[in-house]
Amino acid sequence: MWRVLGFRPATMSALLFSLLLLLSTLCRLGQSMSREEKLKLRNQVVEMFDHAYSNYMDHAYPADELMPLTCRGRVRGLEPSRGDVDDALGMFSLTLIDTLDTLVLLNKTAEFEAAVRRVLKDVRLDNDVVVSVFETNIRVLGGLLGGHSMAVMLKDAGHYMQWYQDELLHMAKDLGLRLLPAFNTSSGLPYPRVNLKHGVRGPESRTGTETDTCTACAGTIILEFAALSRFTGDPVFEVHARRALNFLWEKRQRNSNLVGTTINIHSGEWVRRDSGVGAGIDSYYEYLLKAYILLGDDLFLQRFNIHYASIMKYISQPPLLLDVHIHKPLLPARTWMDSLLAFFPGLQVLKGDIRPAIETHEMLYQVTKKHNFLPEAFTTDFRVHWAQHPLRPEFAESTYFLYKATKDPYYLEVGRTVLDNLNRFARVPCGFAAMKDVRTGSHEDRMDSFFLAEMFKYLFLLFAEEDDLPFNVEDYIFTTEAHLLPLSLSTTPRAPSPPANSTVQAASLPHLSASVKSLWSEEELDDSNFDWTCPNTRLLFPDPAFPRNLRDPIRSAVDKSCPRPAIHREPGMGRPPLRAQDFMANNPDHLELLRRMGVSLIHLKDGRVQLVQHATQAVSAVAAEDGMRFMQEMMELSSQQQKEQLPPRAVQIISHPFFGRVVLTAGPAQFGIDLSKSITGVRGFVTVAEPYSGCAELSNAAFVQGRIALLQRGQCMFAEKARHIMKAGAIGGIVIDDNEGSSSDTAPLFQMAGDGRNTDDVTLPLLFLFYKEGNILLEALKEYREVEVLLSDKARDRASIFKGKPLPGILLESSGDAPEEDQTSPASSATLDRSHVSTVELDESAPDKEEVTPEEDVGPAIKRNPEPEEEPAVDKDSSSKSVKAMMADWREDLEAFQQMEKDEL
């Protein structure tokens, strides 16, 4: 199926990937889970829900949320502010309202009736508090509408809620009217916040000054507002929600058909132009498709299909989902993913696109197994980017939908893993606590309402049999908060609205309802255009082994306990398979071998490359096996390298006019001199090697001898570069990244690996600088011609650098007794304005610092030193500006290096 590896071109040193392998349990995939085992897991879900719900009611109600570590309620204003997170809290018993329809689904009808009475008796919606329009809509308005739907269903069944007279619906309309002032903008996009009592205007509201909102915040309104309009007969809510959606659609980037993450609610200009399917955009796409299912308006499906085609063209790189720029969609916007995109495989199931749903879900499952939970964000090589996990339910949601679509018992085992991890790592005496850091297992005193609203719904449905459910869930659509809205709303005519908002006549709506109901049923679809139907997955994929067949290439390749037939090489293939330790990313023959094995390369913005294997794209089954073996070797090689990771190194510029103040963060090598074991480090003047790549014998060996050679990354292995400069007599080497714009600020440091051979013959230090840091060094060399650096394990103070030598006079200006400069050095004769050296001091006894503001960007890097005979004319003003700009960058680099040292990275 697939494998993913991350590495930097031309070297194994940056193999930043994780083991995406299924373990021994995968050998059991063909076995169905017994009804008794499913019952046991279903009961476990109910017990876990009881533990969370009862602790909220006992220790937190009527507060909005439970604080499970301190066993008390979270009341806004009484606890330290958490910023935007607290905008979900409105002093309206959020968790109870969010949980209403969960109680019914879990067959807790008596508890539901009691909870409704509590809401009607205790909850007020006219509180003088500023809340998030988005969160209040999906959690509170959605919760009230879901509760109303359940109450009506139970009342119609004739056993419970016989007293109910639409009280929850009346509360929902009251809340809807309180949210409406937020939509009073020229664009129709809502303000992100609203005061429940005072709206958005006037000093009392304490809001209404915001200019930006996220795409999902404005585009995740239609289900709740349209349902409210159709339940009550008041069209105003649906009209406003449609207007907001229409505006977002009009503001899409017309070439890519993608939307940005943040938009100005007045002008419609995109504030953040990165586009993905995770945080900030996610539920906008979800609500386009679900609005079609619930409301029957073809326009929503048409828009969703156009967006989806672009998502699959630009963002989806199975199994990855990478953000891109809306104006340059082939350019990745970042190299990490957030956990909210875990909903997307479930949405793909609704769309009927099963294969990429299986692939992305499997990737997410492997990240979950690696860290026990999905981190809030993780890199494309599956390391932690943001370590929190607030018990989000999106992965469980997609697991449920994939099980419903495929009936593969594998997804029941995935659900078991989710249950086990929640009980092992998140369960505490007073509920379930969010993970503050998935790496350490530390907790946060937080249990969000969506944990009860969503997580237990999807897990219960995953393990429940049809006769365990109190109603037919196929008669409902799940909102993004998993609230249940009846599909019967699709037959409820809405009030007239502008023609652009609809292309469907009311008479066609009953057919849609039947089509929707057939999503998980055996009713056949009679629609020739697949894009315009809700797919019946049993017809599309009648083979229950379909998802298993996608995963089989992984299982047999990595789990040694799984039986595996002997491999016979195909006649005519001739050469042996490519081995990981021999691979070079710039070798055309190697790239062709990868292609034959079904392995493709994805170039990322920071210079890294993703290796992705699709076994089905290999030229033969044998080639696919070779590809899987190659990926396995790469993973083992990466694992070995990660165990040997070293802390960052320092390139410290010590010549005039820098004198040790400028420290560049550098990556180490796995070979050569270990600077951490050197007391003094290696000190010398730098010079550019010729050829700059260092991949051939140096033509300027006489000039390199006794110096530190500067080399450009690429074209050959790091160890080969080291051998060439060592042969020329260099005392050290610095490799500079050739990926323009790369920086240690934004890319993780890595250690340069050898070439698969013995590297004991390399006896000099070799360090790696990203483009930004390397350009600083090249610019200094260009301007001062003679630049001396110290290669060491950490920045040294001035006293140790100049030990036994007089301190440079420019550092002693304040004392007035500067010694005479050495006139033999070209650098020492240069005059320098004091602002040139007004950067961060490493020595506390140095003169007071002056603030430096960058005035222009650092110029382009140079390829070689200027000829010694030519004395370039220097424009003093431009030189001053250039150095000032570099000094500002250097200050940032120094602070970053010191912070990394402190964090022991």
Side-chain angles (χ1 to χ4, degrees):
M1 184 175 97
W2 52 262
R3 288 290 202 294
V4 176
L5 305 175
F7 69 99
R8 293 184 179 275
T11 178
M12 297 299 101
S13 64
L15 291 170
L16 302 175
F17 47 76
S18 297
L19 194 62
L20 295 184
L21 304 177
L22 303 181
L23 303 178
S24 57
T25 56
L26 297 182
C27 292
R28 301 186 281 113
L29 271 179
Q31 304 172 3
S32 298
M33 183 179 288
S34 68
R35 187 181 179 93
E36 291 73 21
E37 187 66 15
K38 288 181 67 177
L39 175 63
K40 178 181 177 182
L41 292 172
R42 186 206 70 186
N43 291 338
Q44 186 177 0
V45 173
V46 175
E47 185 278 329
M48 293 167 65
F49 170 82
D50 289 341
H51 178 68
Y53 179 70
S54 62
N55 273 286
Y56 165 73
M57 296 303 297
D58 292 344
H59 299 292
Y61 182 82
D64 284 314
E65 290 180 346
L66 169 67
M67 299 173 67
L69 299 183
T70 53
C71 300
R72 69 179 192 270
R74 182 179 297 279
V75 179
R76 190 168 176 180
L78 299 183
E79 302 293 336
S81 173
R82 300 175 298 170
D84 292 348
V85 176
D86 283 340
D87 288 344
L89 311 181
M91 295 186 288
F92 34 37
S93 301
L94 173 63
T95 298
L96 182 61
I97 292 177
D98 220 1
T99 308
L100 289 176
D101 50 7
T102 307
L103 289 166
V104 178
L105 183 66
L106 271 59
N107 293 293
K108 297 184 175 296
T109 314
E111 290 89 336
F112 169 75
E113 190 161 0
V116 172
R117 292 185 183 276
R118 280 181 179 268
V119 169
L120 299 179
K121 174 177 175 290
D122 298 338
V123 174
R124 293 179 55 114
L125 298 175
D126 60 348
N127 302 312
D128 183 10
V129 60
V130 176
V131 297
S132 162
V133 173
F134 168 76
E135 296 289 355
T136 305
N137 173 67
I138 65 171
R139 298 202 206 187
V140 185
L141 182 57
L144 292 171
L145 292 173
H148 169 69
S149 300
M150 295 294 97
V152 170
M153 181 272 297
L154 291 172
K155 182 178 181 180
D156 290 345
H159 299 294
Y160 293 91
M161 304 297 294
Q162 296 304 301
W163 54 269
Y164 183 69
Q165 298 294 325
D166 295 344
E167 288 87 349
L168 291 178
L169 180 59
H170 299 324
M171 289 185 67
K173 184 173 182 180
D174 179 23
L175 180 60
L177 292 171
R178 295 179 184 279
L179 295 179
L180 277 183
F183 292 80
N184 188 21
T185 62
S186 58
S187 66
L189 298 179
Y191 285 96
R193 299 174 185 84
V194 66
N195 187 299
L196 290 176
K197 186 172 185 178
H198 301 292
V200 296
R201 296 297 173 87
E204 314 90 24
S205 68
R206 305 186 303 283
T207 187
T209 59
E210 303 93 341
T211 59
D212 305 335
T213 192
C214 71
T215 300
C217 300
T220 312
I221 305 289
I222 186 65
L223 291 189
E224 292 82 4
F225 269 41
L228 181 57
S229 283
R230 299 193 181 201
F231 273 133
T232 62
D234 187 344
V236 64
F237 307 104
E238 185 171 347
V239 167
H240 279 289
R242 284 176 176 266
R243 185 183 175 207
L245 274 181
N246 290 342
F247 189 82
L248 289 174
W249 171 254
E250 289 300 319
K251 291 300 178 180
R252 75 191 186 283
Q253 212 289 321
R254 297 304 177 96
N255 292 323
S256 66
N257 280 315
L258 296 173
V259 292
T261 303
T262 306
I263 191 170
N264 185 295
I265 61 176
H266 304 297
S267 67
E269 294 294 322
W270 291 109
V271 179
R272 282 184 51 193
R273 300 184 179 187
D274 49 313
S275 183
V277 295
I281 302 180
D282 49 1
S283 48
Y284 163 69
Y285 294 131
E286 177 186 4
Y287 268 37
L288 282 178
L289 180 57
K290 289 184 175 180
Y292 166 67
I293 296 174
L294 180 66
L295 306 178
D297 191 333
D298 287 359
L299 190 64
F300 294 126
L301 182 58
Q302 179 185 22
R303 292 175 178 179
F304 173 80
N305 283 336
I306 291 172
H307 280 316
Y308 186 77
S310 293
I311 290 170
M312 299 310 291
K313 181 178 181 180
Y314 301 119
I315 295 171
S316 176
Q317 301 175 16
L320 308 178
L321 292 165
L322 298 179
D323 282 20
V324 300
H325 295 278
I326 59 175
H327 293 88
K328 297 181 179 180
L330 297 178
L331 182 65
R334 63 189 189 192
T335 57
W336 49 270
M337 297 170 279
D338 64 76
S339 62
L340 286 172
L341 61 77
F343 89 100
F344 197 67
L347 189 65
Q348 289 179 305
V349 170
L350 289 181
K351 164 68 176 172
D353 202 0
I354 305 297
R355 177 186 289 269
I358 291 172
E359 293 175 334
T360 298
H361 178 275
E362 182 64 17
M363 177 270 292
L364 295 169
Y365 182 40
Q366 295 306 317
V367 175
T368 298
K369 291 172 69 175
K370 181 178 179 66
H371 303 294
N372 299 319
F373 300 96
L374 273 180
E376 274 292 77
F378 52 94
T379 62
T380 53
D381 43 29
F382 314 114
R383 296 176 303 156
V384 172
H385 186 71
W386 296 334
Q388 304 91 336
H389 174 76
L391 308 182
R392 294 200 184 277
E394 285 78 13
F395 179 67
E397 174 186 358
S398 288
T399 302
Y400 162 65
F401 280 115
L402 272 168
Y403 177 68
K404 292 291 290 184
T406 64
K407 293 300 181 183
D408 187 346
Y410 175 77
Y411 296 109
L412 298 176
E413 295 297 335
V414 175
R416 187 204 300 268
T417 300
V418 174
L419 280 184
D420 290 346
N421 288 345
L422 284 172
N423 275 321
R424 290 175 58 197
F425 303 110
R427 186 165 182 150
V428 294
C430 286
F432 291 85
M435 306 304 297
K436 185 176 182 179
D437 193 319
V438 298
R439 297 165 297 189
T440 63
S442 58
H443 290 122
E444 188 175 355
D445 201 3
R446 169 183 181 184
M447 189 179 81
D448 289 82
S449 67
F450 54 67
F451 183 61
L452 288 164
E454 300 183 67
M455 181 71 80
F456 294 111
K457 274 197 189 84
Y458 291 124
L459 290 176
F460 182 83
L461 288 169
L462 179 64
F463 298 115
E465 303 290 349
E466 287 187 11
D467 53 7
D468 295 329
L469 303 178
F471 57 89
N472 186 357
V473 294
E474 294 167 9
D475 291 337
Y476 296 82
I477 188 77
F478 288 104
T479 70
T480 195
E481 190 78 2
H483 292 306
L484 293 156
L485 299 178
L487 292 178
S488 58
L489 290 174
S490 65
T491 62
T492 303
R494 63 184 179 91
S497 56
N501 290 348
S502 178
T503 60
V504 166
Q505 301 300 319
S508 68
L509 297 178
H511 167 72
L512 172 73
S513 181
S515 172
V516 172
K517 289 185 179 181
S518 71
L519 182 58
W520 306 121
S521 71
E522 296 182 0
E523 297 179 34
E524 296 201 2
L525 301 176
D526 186 21
D527 194 323
S528 58
N529 186 346
F530 174 80
D531 280 345
W532 292 89
T533 65
C534 296
N536 184 326
T537 55
R538 294 188 184 182
L539 294 177
L540 292 171
F541 307 105
D543 182 5
F546 174 75
R548 186 174 71 246
N549 291 338
L550 288 180
R551 291 188 297 265
D552 272 344
I554 297 178
R555 300 183 197 127
S556 60
V558 302
D559 193 339
K560 295 180 180 179
S561 62
C562 293
R564 182 178 178 180
I567 298 296
H568 301 285
R569 187 155 300 281
E570 292 179 350
M573 288 197 67
R575 49 190 170 181
L578 179 64
R579 305 302 301 271
Q581 61 265 30
D582 301 326
F583 174 66
M584 293 178 61
N586 63 330
N587 187 316
D589 292 336
H590 290 181
L591 298 180
E592 173 60 20
L593 286 174
L594 289 188
R595 186 194 66 78
R596 293 179 60 84
M597 295 188 296
V599 179
S600 57
L601 283 77
I602 302 171
H603 293 271
L604 304 179
K605 182 180 179 182
D606 65 353
R608 289 183 299 164
V609 172
Q610 289 290 328
L611 272 180
V612 181
Q613 188 198 21
H614 290 268
T616 55
Q617 296 178 7
V619 296
S620 67
V622 173
E625 289 287 345
D626 289 343
M628 289 183 288
R629 187 181 301 108
F630 172 79
M631 302 291 270
Q632 172 74 5
E633 291 177 355
M634 294 285 272
M635 293 175 186
E636 292 172 352
L637 181 60
S638 173
S639 178
Q640 178 183 358
Q641 291 172 351
Q642 289 175 359
K643 292 177 182 177
E644 300 170 355
Q645 281 185 351
L646 302 173
R649 301 292 185 250
V651 175
Q652 193 166 4
I653 306 180
I654 60 176
S655 56
H656 173 87
F658 312 103
F659 303 117
R661 292 183 175 90
V662 177
V663 181
L664 307 177
T665 303
Q670 294 178 338
F671 53 86
I673 293 178
D674 184 356
L675 292 173
S676 66
K677 299 177 181 178
S678 172
I679 299 176
T680 59
V682 174
R683 176 174 178 170
F685 288 91
V686 298
T687 188
V688 177
E690 296 180 0
Y692 190 28
S693 67
C695 294
E697 189 170 332
L698 269 56
S699 60
N700 62 339
F703 197 60
V704 169
Q705 185 175 10
R707 292 175 174 250
I708 296 172
L710 302 182
L711 306 148
Q712 186 179 46
R713 179 185 184 175
Q715 301 183 34
C716 63
M717 304 297 284
F718 289 122
E720 185 178 349
K721 298 176 188 289
R723 292 188 178 99
H724 282 136
I725 64 172
M726 191 171 68
K727 184 177 179 180
I731 61 174
I734 300 173
V735 178
I736 298 174
D737 196 7
D738 59 346
N739 178 39
E740 186 172 353
S742 67
S743 167
S744 61
D745 296 335
T746 57
L749 280 178
F750 64 94
Q751 50 186 334
M752 296 177 287
D755 54 5
R757 297 183 292 157
N758 190 312
T759 54
D760 291 344
D761 60 316
V762 179
T763 56
L764 52 66
L766 192 70
L767 298 183
F768 177 86
L769 291 177
F770 283 110
Y771 182 90
K772 174 185 173 184
E773 290 79 6
N775 197 47
I776 290 173
L777 187 56
L778 289 170
E779 280 294 318
L781 184 61
K782 179 180 179 181
E783 185 161 357
Y784 297 104
R785 299 177 55 189
E786 289 290 337
V787 175
E788 188 178 14
V789 300
L790 174 66
L791 310 183
S792 59
D793 62 329
K794 61 182 179 180
R796 306 299 173 93
D797 61 36
R798 195 180 65 216
S800 64
I801 293 175
F802 299 102
K803 185 176 181 180
K805 300 180 182 180
L807 290 178
I810 198 163
L811 299 181
L812 300 177
E813 287 178 353
S814 60
S815 63
D817 55 354
E820 186 177 347
E821 294 280 355
D822 180 2
Q823 299 298 319
T824 62
S825 169
S828 63
S829 62
T831 60
L832 185 70
D833 185 270
R834 177 161 181 76
S835 64
H836 290 189
V837 293
S838 299
T839 60
V840 177
E841 295 285 351
L842 296 177
D843 191 325
E844 294 179 356
S845 63
D848 293 339
K849 302 185 291 292
E850 299 176 14
E851 291 298 323
V852 178
T853 302
E855 298 181 27
E856 64 178 42
D857 292 335
V858 178
I862 60 174
K863 299 294 185 181
R864 53 176 293 167
N865 284 326
E867 294 297 330
E869 297 85 2
E870 299 175 0
E871 185 70 23
V874 177
D875 184 321
K876 185 175 181 180
D877 293 337
S878 62
S879 173
S880 175
K881 291 182 180 179
S882 177
V883 172
K884 286 182 179 180
M886 286 192 294
M887 285 295 187
D889 281 342
W890 290 332
R891 176 179 297 181
E892 295 178 4
D893 294 328
L894 179 59
E895 293 172 349
F897 179 82
Q898 291 173 331
Q899 182 62 42
M900 292 176 71
E901 244 190 341
K902 180 179 178 182
D903 295 341
E904 296 182 353
L905 294 178

